[in-house]
């Protein structure tokens, strides 16, 4: 069997595995690499040379520098200014999307989105608007901004390195800027004037305030004389229940202690402030002997009877669950129930609320170690001192038992933990904090130092003193040495799956070229477009790469399409630059699906989006980008 046929079989199986999603893309890429070695498509002694490729080193260095920006106080500095914009949605979108476009040009676009996502959530809350109106434009803006410079997105780095191998000279830091800036501005204008109207508004449902309204679902349970919970610590209680029921606070002698910081044993008369549904309430009553106060139970029975009568009148035949928790609908009712359950007067007892309980909302990133694992497997409480309070997915709160939930990328978590350790724990787990309840994550540190280091690296690249990979790696090293971020966080910042993907797919992409597979595809496209102007072939190349980037990682799309673009240029007898630029832009246009890019996945949960929501804005935005890209490329990089 011909090598070209074998490489097509390998790539076909690889793309099918990418689309299937059963195995993570780095595992799929490694399987493709090893399969290519076994089939003789990649020499065994060159199998792992991709991991030392300049593109891989550059991506890793940019990720470290981006994390340094995150820790240097950029969030607080930007948020302070952006939150002054006022109530007009147009201005909010302008400052948010415009800022993320600029930031994405000088740092990794996922990192830029991570900086501004909490700002957008806070802005939505303060002005009482749906986060869905802000988050999808913000994610798409981060992709547009990545087009403007070499380090904005991995496809640019890959294409620049590939051009160096073909012509002997790589694209420079700002070689992408003439086309990228024009495309980013066109995309920004489209989003501001038209695009935001195409975004579905998930009013209420998508708001994390609505998903995690703890004041509306808190119950108070008393430890009685005969309670099995008496004499147990909270950890022992959870082990007895075999359930991760979060205890937000323990009230003893009118003093409240946060649940994550309470290590003593429970005594008679202690009040546990908890979130519990009907199943958890029954479990707590049967196995731990915890019950609502007598008067609260009587009030609950009356309310259940009222609900039952209403149900019978409506002919539904459904009554409230026997063990339904006391639902505290507003502050006044909550304080009323608090006073009843404690048996104290207004002056003696002020009631329990969530203030000061150090709750934080975070979204699970694509590279998180939490994905497809449960609370018990992660040992959240023992290893990270975190209580999982609630989980939301696709804009709605999950009602299944917490210990049964296997986390997915994009899940929004409500967590409780110690303020001094929360930021580090979330970073280790691979979670991005969205908003905090009475909590400040991170403090500004060494902002000017991090900016100066980055500026020095850019200057060295512009003056051709150092190659991009060396200059950026040096900047990353200096950032670690001077303490811009700890060494451990530097390693955590390097996205392992992406590095493995790049290192494995680079030799496979080269095999597509050396086997003659890229030439065969190019010849087919040349035969199809022989009677048409070259610009038609450029459009077809753009569409092919764009579709591919929406179903596989954009770096993989660039790696596979670059040799095809070079073969097309050779077939037409033209410069390779316009064809490579088309691939660079189109590989970053993953606007149609939430799986095409990490930025899209990150906003899916907080925005309450569905899979089908993305194309509503993404398709017209893709067409706008293509309409601007092709003429600009022909103007700046003529055939």
């Amino acid at each position: 069997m011909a090598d070209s046929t074998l490489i097509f079989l390998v790539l076909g199986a690889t793309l099918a595995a990418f689309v299937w999603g059963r195995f993570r893309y780095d595992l799929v890429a490694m399987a493709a690499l090893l399969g290519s070695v076994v089939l003789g498509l990649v020499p065994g002694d060159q199998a792992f040379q991709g991991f030392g490729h300049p593109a891989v080193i550059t991506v890793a260095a940019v990720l470290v520098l981006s994390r340094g920006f995150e820790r240097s106080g950029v969030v607080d500095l930007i948020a302070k200014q952006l939150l002054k914009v006022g109530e007009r949605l147009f201005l909010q979108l302008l400052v948010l999307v415009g800022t993320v476009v600029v930031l994405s040009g000088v740092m990794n676009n996922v990192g830029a989105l991570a900086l501004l996502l909490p700002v957008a959530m806070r802005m939505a809350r303060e002005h009482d608007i749906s986060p869905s109106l802000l988050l999808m434009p913000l994610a798409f803006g981060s992709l547009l901004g990545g087009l403007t410079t070499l380090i904005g997105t991995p496809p640019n780095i890959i294409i620049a390195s590939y051009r160096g191998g073909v012509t002997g000279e790589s694209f420079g830091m700002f070689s992408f800027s003439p086309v990228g800036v024009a495309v980013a501005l066109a995309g920004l204008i489209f989003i501001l004037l038209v695009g935001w109207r195409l975004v579905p508004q998930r009013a209420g449902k998508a708001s994390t305030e609505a998903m995690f309204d703890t004041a509306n679902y808190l119950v108070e349970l008393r430890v009685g004389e005969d309670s099995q919970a008496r004499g147990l610590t909270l950890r022992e209680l959870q082990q007895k229940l075999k359930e991760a029921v979060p205890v937000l606070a323990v009230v003893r002698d009118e003093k409240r202690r946060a649940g994550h910081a309470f290590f003593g044993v429970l005594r008679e008369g202690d009040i546990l402030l908890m979130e519990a549904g009907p199943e958890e309430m029954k479990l707590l009553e049967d196995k731990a002997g915890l019950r609502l106060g007598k008067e609260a139970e009587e009030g609950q029975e009356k309310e259940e009877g009222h609900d039952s009568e209403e149900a019978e009148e409506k002919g539904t035949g459904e009554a409230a669950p026997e063990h339904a928790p006391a639902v505290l609908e507003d502050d006044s009712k909550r304080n009323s129930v608090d006073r009843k359950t404690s048996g104290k007067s207004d002056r003696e007892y002020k009631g329990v609320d969530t203030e000061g309980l150090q709750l934080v909302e975070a979204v699970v990133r694509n590279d998180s170690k939490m994905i497809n694992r449960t609370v018990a497997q992660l040992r959240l409480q023992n290893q990270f001192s975190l209580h999982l309070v609630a989980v939301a997915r696709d804009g709605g709160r999950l009602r299944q038992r917490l210990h049964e939930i296997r986390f997915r990328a994009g899940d929004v978590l409500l967590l409780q933990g110690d303020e001094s350790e929360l930021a580090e724990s979330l970073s280790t787990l691979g979670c991005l904090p969205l908003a905090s309840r009475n909590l400040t994550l991170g403090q500004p540190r060494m902002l000017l130092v991090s900016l100066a280091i980055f500026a020095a690296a850019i200057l060295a690249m512009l003056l051709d003193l150092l190659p991009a990979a060396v200059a950026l790696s040096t900047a990353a090293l200096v950032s670690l040495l001077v303490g811009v971020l700890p060494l451990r966080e530097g390693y955590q910042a390097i996205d392992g799956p992406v590095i493995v993907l790049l290192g494995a797919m680079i030799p496979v992409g080269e095999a597509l070229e050396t086997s003659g597979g890229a030439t065969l595809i190019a010849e087919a496209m040349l035969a199809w477009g022989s009677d048409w102007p070259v610009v038609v072939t450029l459009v077809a190349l753009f569409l092919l790469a764009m579709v591919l980037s929406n179903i596989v990682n954009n770096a993989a799309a660039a790696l596979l399409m670059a040799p095809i673009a070079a073969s097309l240029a050779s077939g037409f007898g033209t410069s390779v630059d316009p064809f490579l630029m088309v691939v660079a832009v189109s590989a970053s246009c993953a606007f149609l699906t939430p799986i095409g890019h990490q930025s899209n996945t990150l906003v899916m949960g907080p925005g309450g989006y569905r899979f089908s929501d993305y194309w509503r804005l993404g398709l017209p935005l893709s067409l706008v980008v293509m309409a601007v890209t092709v003429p600009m490329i022909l103007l700046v990089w003529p055939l």
Side-chain angles (χ1 to χ4, degrees):
M1 190 177 293
D3 286 352
S4 58
T5 304
L6 289 175
I7 193 64
F8 287 145
L9 291 175
V10 170
L11 291 177
T14 302
L15 292 177
F18 279 141
V19 174
W20 184 27
R22 174 63 178 82
F23 301 102
R24 209 168 63 179
Y25 55 78
D26 52 333
L27 298 179
V28 174
M30 185 59 70
L33 171 61
L34 297 178
S36 299
V37 173
V38 171
L39 293 173
L41 300 171
V42 175
D45 59 348
Q46 299 177 19
F48 301 108
Q49 289 184 356
F51 290 92
H53 195 277
V56 178
I57 304 302
T58 303
V59 169
V62 169
L63 291 173
V64 174
L65 291 171
S66 295
R67 182 63 63 87
F69 287 145
E70 292 180 35
R71 285 187 58 91
S72 64
V74 174
V75 174
D76 295 334
L77 185 64
I78 294 174
K80 184 177 179 181
Q81 302 302 320
L82 295 190
L83 291 172
K84 299 176 181 178
V85 69
E87 298 183 357
R88 292 186 59 188
L89 181 61
F90 176 85
L91 293 178
Q92 293 170 2
L93 286 169
L94 176 61
V95 297
L96 282 173
V97 182
T99 302
V100 82
V101 166
V102 174
L103 287 179
S104 296
V106 296
M107 61 186 295
N108 177 265
N109 47 17
V110 177
L113 176 66
L115 291 178
L116 291 182
L117 191 52
V119 180
M121 294 298 296
R122 182 176 171 186
M123 189 177 291
R125 285 180 174 175
E126 290 193 357
H127 298 293
D128 195 26
I129 62 175
S130 172
S132 63
L133 291 176
L134 301 177
L135 297 189
M136 188 181 293
L138 187 66
F140 289 175
S142 72
L143 302 188
L144 292 170
L147 301 173
T148 58
T149 65
L150 170 68
I151 63 173
T153 184
N156 287 5
I157 298 172
I158 292 166
I159 294 300
S161 296
Y162 186 84
R163 194 226 192 199
V166 173
T167 66
E169 183 179 356
S170 300
F171 284 127
M173 177 68 182
F174 297 106
S175 298
F176 299 87
S177 299
V179 175
V181 170
V183 172
L185 285 175
L188 175 62
I189 293 171
F190 174 78
I191 290 173
L192 293 177
L193 299 181
V194 180
W196 70 269
R197 304 175 193 274
L198 305 176
V199 178
Q201 182 172 354
R202 305 286 186 228
K205 180 181 178 183
S207 169
T208 51
E209 281 290 349
M211 290 189 293
F212 298 141
D213 192 357
T214 53
N216 287 351
Y217 292 94
L218 292 179
V219 293
E220 292 182 16
L221 302 174
R222 180 182 293 276
V223 179
E225 182 180 359
D226 58 346
S227 296
Q228 295 93 319
R230 190 160 62 96
L232 299 179
T233 65
L234 294 182
R235 183 171 299 179
E236 291 171 342
L237 176 61
Q238 292 190 338
Q239 291 173 347
K240 180 181 180 63
L241 298 174
K242 297 181 180 180
E243 174 70 67
V245 178
V247 178
L248 299 184
V250 177
V251 180
R252 176 183 294 171
D253 300 329
E254 302 181 26
K255 294 182 180 179
R256 183 181 61 195
R257 298 167 177 82
H260 71 275
F262 183 85
F263 301 106
V265 298
L266 296 174
R267 302 176 186 171
E268 179 184 352
D270 285 349
I271 296 174
L272 307 185
L273 180 65
M274 312 177 69
E275 277 214 351
E279 291 184 0
E280 287 81 3
M281 283 290 295
K282 179 172 176 57
L283 186 69
L284 291 165
E285 182 176 349
D286 292 345
K287 290 192 175 184
L290 298 174
R291 292 178 175 83
L292 296 170
K294 181 178 179 182
E295 292 184 37
E297 285 182 335
E298 292 174 354
Q300 178 188 345
E301 290 172 0
K302 291 179 181 180
E303 186 171 347
E304 288 176 353
H306 180 66
D307 291 342
S308 179
E309 291 173 4
E310 286 186 349
E312 290 176 1
E313 290 175 1
K314 294 179 180 178
T316 62
E318 297 177 355
E322 180 180 356
H323 296 278
V327 178
L328 312 180
E329 295 180 352
D330 53 43
D331 288 341
S332 61
K333 181 175 287 188
R334 182 180 69 237
N335 291 338
S336 173
V337 175
D338 289 340
R339 290 192 295 271
K340 289 179 180 180
T341 56
S342 64
K344 299 184 182 292
S345 66
D346 289 3
R347 296 181 63 181
E348 293 176 305
Y349 190 67
K350 297 181 180 179
V352 175
D353 56 34
T354 58
E355 183 178 359
L357 290 184
Q358 298 166 347
L359 298 173
V360 63
E361 294 153 18
V363 62
V364 178
R365 297 179 59 145
N366 300 60
D367 56 349
S368 171
K369 64 170 61 177
M370 302 182 71
I371 293 176
N372 204 33
R373 300 174 74 182
T374 64
V375 173
Q377 291 171 334
L378 291 165
R379 302 181 66 202
L380 277 186
Q381 183 175 350
N382 295 341
Q383 188 169 347
F384 299 97
S385 299
L386 292 175
H387 279 314
L388 177 67
V389 179
V391 180
R393 182 175 294 162
D394 298 334
R397 183 172 177 174
L398 296 182
R399 296 299 176 186
Q400 68 190 95
R401 297 177 124 181
L402 294 178
H403 77 281
E404 297 175 349
I405 296 174
R406 289 189 177 273
F407 301 108
R408 300 179 188 172
D411 282 353
V412 183
L413 315 179
L414 183 61
L415 298 162
Q416 182 193 34
D418 186 82
E419 182 174 355
S420 62
E421 300 176 357
L422 260 176
E424 183 176 353
S425 296
L426 292 176
S427 176
T428 303
L429 287 168
C431 290
L432 171 66
L434 291 177
S436 58
R437 309 280 174 102
N438 308 300
L439 176 69
T440 300
L441 288 177
Q443 297 295 331
R445 57 176 73 178
M446 304 189 75
L447 174 59
L448 294 179
V449 174
S450 63
L451 292 177
I453 293 171
F454 179 73
I458 299 301
L459 186 62
M461 293 166 59
L462 291 177
L463 298 177
D464 290 328
L465 299 177
L466 293 171
V470 176
L472 293 170
S473 297
T474 303
L477 176 63
V478 173
S479 296
L480 294 171
L481 289 175
V482 302
V484 171
L485 75 164
L487 181 60
R488 181 171 59 179
E489 274 203 46
Y491 279 110
Q492 291 173 351
I494 299 175
D495 192 345
V498 170
I499 298 302
V500 173
L501 170 74
L502 292 174
M505 290 301 294
I506 284 174
V508 176
E510 292 174 352
L512 177 63
E513 188 172 9
T514 57
S515 67
T519 302
L520 288 176
I521 296 175
E523 288 176 352
M525 295 184 69
L526 287 169
W528 173 81
S530 58
D531 297 330
W532 300 90
V534 178
V535 66
V536 176
T537 304
L538 289 176
V539 171
L541 183 66
F542 185 102
L543 291 173
L544 180 60
M546 182 185 70
V547 171
L548 189 61
S549 71
N550 276 281
I551 57 177
V552 303
N553 183 279
N554 60 355
L559 285 168
L560 294 176
M561 294 302 299
I564 297 174
S567 296
L568 279 172
S570 176
F572 279 111
T574 62
S575 170
V576 73
D577 291 341
F579 289 87
L580 290 180
M581 276 291 172
V582 163
V583 172
V585 175
S586 56
S588 296
C589 290
F591 303 125
L592 301 179
T593 67
I595 62 174
H597 196 276
Q598 289 190 45
S599 293
N600 296 353
T601 309
L602 278 177
V603 300
M604 189 175 186
Y609 302 120
R610 304 186 184 99
F611 194 97
S612 58
D613 288 338
Y614 284 79
W615 69 268
R616 296 173 59 177
L617 171 58
L619 180 58
L621 180 59
S622 299
L623 296 176
V624 169
V625 169
M626 184 175 68
V628 175
T629 297
V630 176
M632 282 298 302
I633 286 176
L634 293 177
L635 178 64
V636 178
W637 304 95
L639 298 169

